Each structure stands twice: as structure tokens, then as C-alpha cells.
Amino acid sequence: MGSNRDSSNEQPNLPSPKNIYKDPDDGRQRFLLELEFVQCLANPTYIHYLAQNRYFEDEAFIGYLKYLQYWQRPEYIKYIMYPHCLFFLELLQNPNFRNAMAHPGSKELAHRQQFYFWKNYRNNRLKHILPKPLPEPTVAPPTSVPPHLPPPTIAAPPVPSPSAGQVPSPMQYAMPPGSALARNDIRSIAADRRKRKKDG
């Protein structure tokens, strides 16, 4: 009888800690899926889609967005190709932004602002990178005013006057008459043929 009491007090076999789930690809698939989802957040139209389909009302999804903030750490940020996704991920932590993105006007505004950022990024960056020139030193006005001198007159260069028999051509750089290049011109060859037919 004593053995029955001893066997009833024994605890059932618990699973050993060796039976913990092991990912078959060492988390590569999960990494790629999360990377793809985070980068999709760079598209305001996709965020609008999520808001329209009420994903932002699900507390589990909001928690997932908070979890995804680890992509902002340096060891993960190097895999991001679209850095705007991190900006939008940060904005999605705010419930006001999540609610606003349900409206098409907010989506268009975000899309326009993103476009203008891309359009002007290089010029805006150059303003901060390029050194600014030093300000010009201001010259103090002289204490005594010199007498007013008339401005110097500049003589115009002499214009060659054409002789009475020769009038300058408006095409000064044209080929001189009788040049070899003018004879090889297709238009002059066709004109020569027409002349030959009339003469012959």
C-alpha cells in the first residue's frame, strides 16, 4: 500500500528542454519576409491599403510594427534599399498618422512630399555639403569726396567701309564661287543636269 502512495506523488514526465523548435533555415526565411514587409512601407499607397483594410485597428499588428523597429539598428539597416520605409515605420507608431492614412488625400500628400524629396534631394544635399563662400569685406566710405570726374570715353573700333563696287555679302563665311566643294554639292549637280537638258 505504501508503494501506491509513492507512485501517486510522482510527477508526470515533462518535455525536456531539448525539444525546443529549431528553424530549419536558421531564420533566413523570416528575415527575408520581414525585410520585404518593412521595405513595402516605403510606399504610401501600400500604407493606405493597410489602413483601408483596417490592419491598423488590430493590436497584434500594431505590436508587430513596434517589433519591426529593430530594422533601424546599424546591423540591420545595411540591408534596407528604400530608406523611406524606416521613416514611415517611425510615423506608423503614431495613431494619428495611422488614422490619417486611411484618407486618400493624406495618401496623395505623403506621395507628393516623397516625390519632392527625391526630386530636390541632390540640390538640398549640395547646399549642406559645399562650402559657403566667405562674406565680402565691406569697404568704409571715404571721409572726403573726390571731385566728380566724367567717365572715360571708349573709342569705337573703326568700321571698314566697303568700296563702291563691292557690297559685303550677308553670308561672309560661305564658300567662294567656283570652289571644289560647291561642285560636289548634290543640289549643284542636279542644277547642272537641268542646264544640260535645256542646252541639248
Side-chain angles (χ1 to χ4, degrees):
M1 288 198 161
S3 64
N4 286 342
R5 287 182 188 169
D6 291 340
S7 62
S8 64
N9 289 339
E10 291 179 8
Q11 295 190 7
N13 291 338
L14 296 175
S16 65
K18 295 178 182 177
N19 294 339
I20 296 175
Y21 174 75
K22 178 80 169 135
D23 201 3
D25 61 353
D26 294 327
R28 179 173 169 71
Q29 186 70 25
R30 179 179 175 182
F31 175 83
L32 291 175
L33 287 173
E34 289 178 358
L35 175 63
E36 182 177 2
F37 176 74
V38 167
Q39 293 193 104
C40 284
L41 295 178
N43 186 350
T45 305
Y46 181 65
I47 296 173
H48 176 70
Y49 167 82
L50 294 174
Q52 286 288 316
N53 290 304
R54 301 177 187 238
Y55 281 90
F56 298 143
E57 295 175 6
D58 184 11
E59 290 300 320
F61 190 77
I62 302 301
Y64 183 62
L65 290 174
K66 287 180 183 175
Y67 159 75
L68 289 175
Q69 286 187 307
Y70 75 87
W71 283 98
Q72 295 175 344
R73 296 198 314 240
E75 60 266 21
Y76 294 101
I77 203 169
K78 63 185 175 183
Y79 298 106
I80 298 287
M81 291 179 62
Y82 307 106
H84 275 185
C85 68
L86 298 176
F87 177 73
F88 283 118
L89 180 63
E90 188 67 33
L91 288 176
L92 284 171
Q93 305 305 316
N94 184 343
N96 293 333
F97 180 76
R98 292 192 300 261
N99 293 335
M101 286 306 288
H103 302 290
S106 299
K107 172 195 70 150
E108 290 301 321
L109 176 66
H111 191 269
R112 252 192 329 268
Q113 292 300 316
Q114 188 179 42
F115 169 75
Y116 292 138
F117 177 83
W118 288 334
K119 179 181 174 186
N120 301 315
Y121 177 75
R122 183 175 181 272
N123 291 336
N124 292 340
R125 261 319 259 161
L126 290 177
K127 287 178 188 174
H128 298 291
I129 293 175
L130 296 177
K132 295 180 181 177
L134 295 175
E136 294 291 326
T138 57
V139 177
T143 55
S144 65
V145 179
H148 181 66
L149 298 175
T153 58
I154 300 173
V159 178
S161 62
S163 63
Q166 294 181 348
V167 176
S169 168
M171 299 188 58
Q172 298 174 7
Y173 301 107
M175 298 299 297
S179 117
L181 292 176
R183 289 185 190 145
N184 292 336
D185 188 12
I186 295 173
R187 292 172 291 185
S188 64
I189 293 172
D192 287 342
R193 286 184 189 157
R194 279 186 241 134
K195 288 180 186 176
R196 283 188 216 144
K197 285 184 181 179
K198 288 181 183 177
D199 293 338

mmCIF file of all heavy atoms in Angstrom, residues 135-163:
data_model
loop_
_atom_site.group_PDB
_atom_site.id
_atom_site.type_symbol
_atom_site.label_atom_id
_atom_site.label_comp_id
_atom_site.label_asym_id
_atom_site.label_seq_id
_atom_site.Cartn_x
_atom_site.Cartn_y
_atom_site.Cartn_z
ATOM 1 N N PRO A 135 31.980 85.906 -46.568
ATOM 2 C CA PRO A 135 31.332 87.174 -46.935
ATOM 3 C C PRO A 135 32.372 88.186 -47.392
ATOM 4 O O PRO A 135 33.505 88.210 -46.915
ATOM 5 C CB PRO A 135 30.645 87.613 -45.642
ATOM 6 C CG PRO A 135 31.331 86.869 -44.553
ATOM 7 C CD PRO A 135 31.861 85.599 -45.162
ATOM 8 N N GLU A 136 31.958 89.011 -48.344
ATOM 9 C CA GLU A 136 32.847 90.036 -48.877
ATOM 10 C C GLU A 136 33.073 91.110 -47.810
ATOM 11 O O GLU A 136 32.130 91.519 -47.131
ATOM 12 C CB GLU A 136 32.221 90.681 -50.117
ATOM 13 C CG GLU A 136 32.087 89.736 -51.294
ATOM 14 C CD GLU A 136 33.439 89.377 -51.871
ATOM 15 O OE1 GLU A 136 34.339 90.233 -51.865
ATOM 16 O OE2 GLU A 136 33.595 88.229 -52.320
ATOM 17 N N PRO A 137 34.324 91.569 -47.643
ATOM 18 C CA PRO A 137 34.555 92.637 -46.665
ATOM 19 C C PRO A 137 33.925 93.932 -47.164
ATOM 20 O O PRO A 137 33.994 94.261 -48.347
ATOM 21 C CB PRO A 137 36.075 92.742 -46.587
ATOM 22 C CG PRO A 137 36.558 92.161 -47.869
ATOM 23 C CD PRO A 137 35.532 91.129 -48.292
ATOM 24 N N THR A 138 33.297 94.617 -46.288
ATOM 25 C CA THR A 138 32.677 95.890 -46.654
ATOM 26 C C THR A 138 33.709 96.993 -46.548
ATOM 27 O O THR A 138 34.479 97.074 -45.593
ATOM 28 C CB THR A 138 31.482 96.197 -45.741
ATOM 29 O OG1 THR A 138 31.932 96.200 -44.396
ATOM 30 C CG2 THR A 138 30.384 95.167 -45.923
ATOM 31 N N VAL A 139 33.718 97.855 -47.543
ATOM 32 C CA VAL A 139 34.671 98.960 -47.581
ATOM 33 C C VAL A 139 33.969 100.176 -46.997
ATOM 34 O O VAL A 139 32.858 100.522 -47.393
ATOM 35 C CB VAL A 139 35.130 99.234 -49.029
ATOM 36 C CG1 VAL A 139 36.068 100.424 -49.084
ATOM 37 C CG2 VAL A 139 35.759 97.993 -49.608
ATOM 38 N N ALA A 140 34.630 100.811 -46.044
ATOM 39 C CA ALA A 140 34.059 102.004 -45.421
ATOM 40 C C ALA A 140 34.101 103.147 -46.426
ATOM 41 O O ALA A 140 35.080 103.299 -47.172
ATOM 42 C CB ALA A 140 34.836 102.372 -44.163
ATOM 43 N N PRO A 141 33.072 103.976 -46.490
ATOM 44 C CA PRO A 141 33.094 105.097 -47.438
ATOM 45 C C PRO A 141 34.189 106.089 -47.047
ATOM 46 O O PRO A 141 34.459 106.306 -45.862
ATOM 47 C CB PRO A 141 31.704 105.714 -47.300
ATOM 48 C CG PRO A 141 31.181 105.233 -45.987
ATOM 49 C CD PRO A 141 31.858 103.925 -45.706
ATOM 50 N N PRO A 142 34.839 106.697 -48.050
ATOM 51 C CA PRO A 142 35.917 107.658 -47.734
ATOM 52 C C PRO A 142 35.333 108.895 -47.059
ATOM 53 O O PRO A 142 34.187 109.271 -47.275
ATOM 54 C CB PRO A 142 36.519 107.990 -49.093
ATOM 55 C CG PRO A 142 35.461 107.641 -50.085
ATOM 56 C CD PRO A 142 34.638 106.541 -49.469
ATOM 57 N N THR A 143 36.177 109.504 -46.236
ATOM 58 C CA THR A 143 35.716 110.679 -45.489
ATOM 59 C C THR A 143 35.621 111.901 -46.382
ATOM 60 O O THR A 143 34.744 112.727 -46.209
ATOM 61 C CB THR A 143 36.671 110.952 -44.314
ATOM 62 O OG1 THR A 143 37.987 111.074 -44.821
ATOM 63 C CG2 THR A 143 36.585 109.854 -43.299
ATOM 64 N N SER A 144 36.527 112.062 -47.316
ATOM 65 C CA SER A 144 36.463 113.220 -48.211
ATOM 66 C C SER A 144 36.018 112.737 -49.592
ATOM 67 O O SER A 144 36.476 111.722 -50.076
ATOM 68 C CB SER A 144 37.822 113.906 -48.296
ATOM 69 O OG SER A 144 38.743 113.044 -48.900
ATOM 70 N N VAL A 145 35.151 113.492 -50.224
ATOM 71 C CA VAL A 145 34.627 113.108 -51.525
ATOM 72 C C VAL A 145 35.519 113.718 -52.603
ATOM 73 O O VAL A 145 35.718 114.940 -52.633
ATOM 74 C CB VAL A 145 33.175 113.611 -51.674
ATOM 75 C CG1 VAL A 145 32.618 113.245 -53.035
ATOM 76 C CG2 VAL A 145 32.312 113.055 -50.567
ATOM 77 N N PRO A 146 36.091 112.894 -53.508
ATOM 78 C CA PRO A 146 36.917 113.459 -54.582
ATOM 79 C C PRO A 146 36.016 114.167 -55.591
ATOM 80 O O PRO A 146 34.830 113.880 -55.679
ATOM 81 C CB PRO A 146 37.609 112.248 -55.189
ATOM 82 C CG PRO A 146 36.694 111.112 -54.878
ATOM 83 C CD PRO A 146 36.048 111.450 -53.563
ATOM 84 N N PRO A 147 36.560 115.097 -56.346
ATOM 85 C CA PRO A 147 35.745 115.791 -57.352
ATOM 86 C C PRO A 147 35.228 114.792 -58.381
ATOM 87 O O PRO A 147 35.896 113.824 -58.720
ATOM 88 C CB PRO A 147 36.695 116.812 -57.963
ATOM 89 C CG PRO A 147 38.047 116.301 -57.655
ATOM 90 C CD PRO A 147 37.940 115.536 -56.363
ATOM 91 N N HIS A 148 34.052 115.064 -58.901
ATOM 92 C CA HIS A 148 33.402 114.169 -59.850
ATOM 93 C C HIS A 148 34.124 114.232 -61.195
ATOM 94 O O HIS A 148 34.253 115.296 -61.799
ATOM 95 C CB HIS A 148 31.935 114.574 -60.015
ATOM 96 C CG HIS A 148 31.203 113.671 -60.968
ATOM 97 N ND1 HIS A 148 30.965 112.351 -60.695
ATOM 98 C CD2 HIS A 148 30.667 113.916 -62.188
ATOM 99 C CE1 HIS A 148 30.308 111.810 -61.708
ATOM 100 N NE2 HIS A 148 30.111 112.756 -62.626
ATOM 101 N N LEU A 149 34.595 113.098 -61.660
ATOM 102 C CA LEU A 149 35.285 113.021 -62.942
ATOM 103 C C LEU A 149 34.331 112.420 -63.970
ATOM 104 O O LEU A 149 33.598 111.478 -63.655
ATOM 105 C CB LEU A 149 36.532 112.150 -62.831
ATOM 106 C CG LEU A 149 37.617 112.636 -61.871
ATOM 107 C CD1 LEU A 149 38.722 111.607 -61.774
ATOM 108 C CD2 LEU A 149 38.170 113.969 -62.334
ATOM 109 N N PRO A 150 34.335 112.917 -65.178
ATOM 110 C CA PRO A 150 33.469 112.317 -66.199
ATOM 111 C C PRO A 150 33.977 110.918 -66.549
ATOM 112 O O PRO A 150 35.170 110.651 -66.470
ATOM 113 C CB PRO A 150 33.587 113.275 -67.388
ATOM 114 C CG PRO A 150 34.882 113.964 -67.187
ATOM 115 C CD PRO A 150 35.088 114.039 -65.696
ATOM 116 N N PRO A 151 33.078 110.023 -66.898
ATOM 117 C CA PRO A 151 33.530 108.667 -67.232
ATOM 118 C C PRO A 151 34.400 108.696 -68.475
ATOM 119 O O PRO A 151 34.188 109.520 -69.372
ATOM 120 C CB PRO A 151 32.231 107.905 -67.490
ATOM 121 C CG PRO A 151 31.215 108.950 -67.778
ATOM 122 C CD PRO A 151 31.646 110.175 -67.045
ATOM 123 N N PRO A 152 35.401 107.830 -68.519
ATOM 124 C CA PRO A 152 36.287 107.821 -69.690
ATOM 125 C C PRO A 152 35.507 107.372 -70.922
ATOM 126 O O PRO A 152 34.655 106.495 -70.849
ATOM 127 C CB PRO A 152 37.370 106.819 -69.320
ATOM 128 C CG PRO A 152 36.742 105.945 -68.290
ATOM 129 C CD PRO A 152 35.750 106.809 -67.560
ATOM 130 N N THR A 153 35.804 107.982 -72.035
ATOM 131 C CA THR A 153 35.146 107.608 -73.286
ATOM 132 C C THR A 153 35.983 106.547 -73.973
ATOM 133 O O THR A 153 37.209 106.626 -74.020
ATOM 134 C CB THR A 153 34.993 108.828 -74.205
ATOM 135 O OG1 THR A 153 36.275 109.363 -74.445
ATOM 136 C CG2 THR A 153 34.077 109.868 -73.581
ATOM 137 N N ILE A 154 35.295 105.570 -74.490
ATOM 138 C CA ILE A 154 35.980 104.477 -75.181
ATOM 139 C C ILE A 154 35.729 104.677 -76.670
ATOM 140 O O ILE A 154 34.583 104.786 -77.109
ATOM 141 C CB ILE A 154 35.452 103.113 -74.723
ATOM 142 C CG1 ILE A 154 35.673 102.952 -73.225
ATOM 143 C CG2 ILE A 154 36.107 101.984 -75.501
ATOM 144 C CD1 ILE A 154 35.050 101.719 -72.642
ATOM 145 N N ALA A 155 36.812 104.738 -77.406
ATOM 146 C CA ALA A 155 36.691 104.938 -78.843
ATOM 147 C C ALA A 155 36.264 103.640 -79.494
ATOM 148 O O ALA A 155 36.808 102.576 -79.200
ATOM 149 C CB ALA A 155 38.010 105.408 -79.425
ATOM 150 N N ALA A 156 35.280 103.724 -80.370
ATOM 151 C CA ALA A 156 34.803 102.543 -81.087
ATOM 152 C C ALA A 156 35.824 102.177 -82.151
ATOM 153 O O ALA A 156 36.448 103.050 -82.760
ATOM 154 C CB ALA A 156 33.461 102.839 -81.732
ATOM 155 N N PRO A 157 36.024 100.885 -82.395
ATOM 156 C CA PRO A 157 36.980 100.484 -83.428
ATOM 157 C C PRO A 157 36.473 100.938 -84.793
ATOM 158 O O PRO A 157 35.270 100.981 -85.032
ATOM 159 C CB PRO A 157 37.025 98.966 -83.313
ATOM 160 C CG PRO A 157 35.760 98.591 -82.625
ATOM 161 C CD PRO A 157 35.388 99.758 -81.766
ATOM 162 N N PRO A 158 37.381 101.295 -85.666
ATOM 163 C CA PRO A 158 36.955 101.766 -86.982
ATOM 164 C C PRO A 158 36.288 100.655 -87.775
ATOM 165 O O PRO A 158 36.735 99.515 -87.770
ATOM 166 C CB PRO A 158 38.254 102.227 -87.642
ATOM 167 C CG PRO A 158 39.317 101.482 -86.927
ATOM 168 C CD PRO A 158 38.817 101.266 -85.527
ATOM 169 N N VAL A 159 35.189 100.996 -88.435
ATOM 170 C CA VAL A 159 34.452 100.032 -89.250
ATOM 171 C C VAL A 159 34.936 100.178 -90.676
ATOM 172 O O VAL A 159 34.901 101.279 -91.231
ATOM 173 C CB VAL A 159 32.934 100.304 -89.157
ATOM 174 C CG1 VAL A 159 32.164 99.344 -90.035
ATOM 175 C CG2 VAL A 159 32.476 100.244 -87.721
ATOM 176 N N PRO A 160 35.412 99.095 -91.287
ATOM 177 C CA PRO A 160 35.886 99.214 -92.664
ATOM 178 C C PRO A 160 34.695 99.487 -93.585
ATOM 179 O O PRO A 160 33.682 98.811 -93.514
ATOM 180 C CB PRO A 160 36.541 97.872 -92.951
ATOM 181 C CG PRO A 160 35.940 96.930 -91.974
ATOM 182 C CD PRO A 160 35.564 97.750 -90.780
ATOM 183 N N SER A 161 34.838 100.488 -94.407
ATOM 184 C CA SER A 161 33.748 100.814 -95.321
ATOM 185 C C SER A 161 33.959 100.069 -96.632
ATOM 186 O O SER A 161 35.065 100.020 -97.145
ATOM 187 C CB SER A 161 33.698 102.319 -95.560
ATOM 188 O OG SER A 161 34.896 102.735 -96.167
ATOM 189 N N PRO A 162 32.918 99.472 -97.153
ATOM 190 C CA PRO A 162 33.087 98.736 -98.420
ATOM 191 C C PRO A 162 33.293 99.715 -99.566
ATOM 192 O O PRO A 162 32.794 100.824 -99.567
ATOM 193 C CB PRO A 162 31.769 97.984 -98.560
ATOM 194 C CG PRO A 162 30.792 98.764 -97.748
ATOM 195 C CD PRO A 162 31.577 99.401 -96.641
ATOM 196 N N SER A 163 34.049 99.259 -100.521
ATOM 197 C CA SER A 163 34.259 100.117 -101.684
ATOM 198 C C SER A 163 32.961 100.204 -102.471
ATOM 199 O O SER A 163 32.048 99.406 -102.286
ATOM 200 C CB SER A 163 35.400 99.568 -102.545
ATOM 201 O OG SER A 163 35.026 98.296 -103.026
#
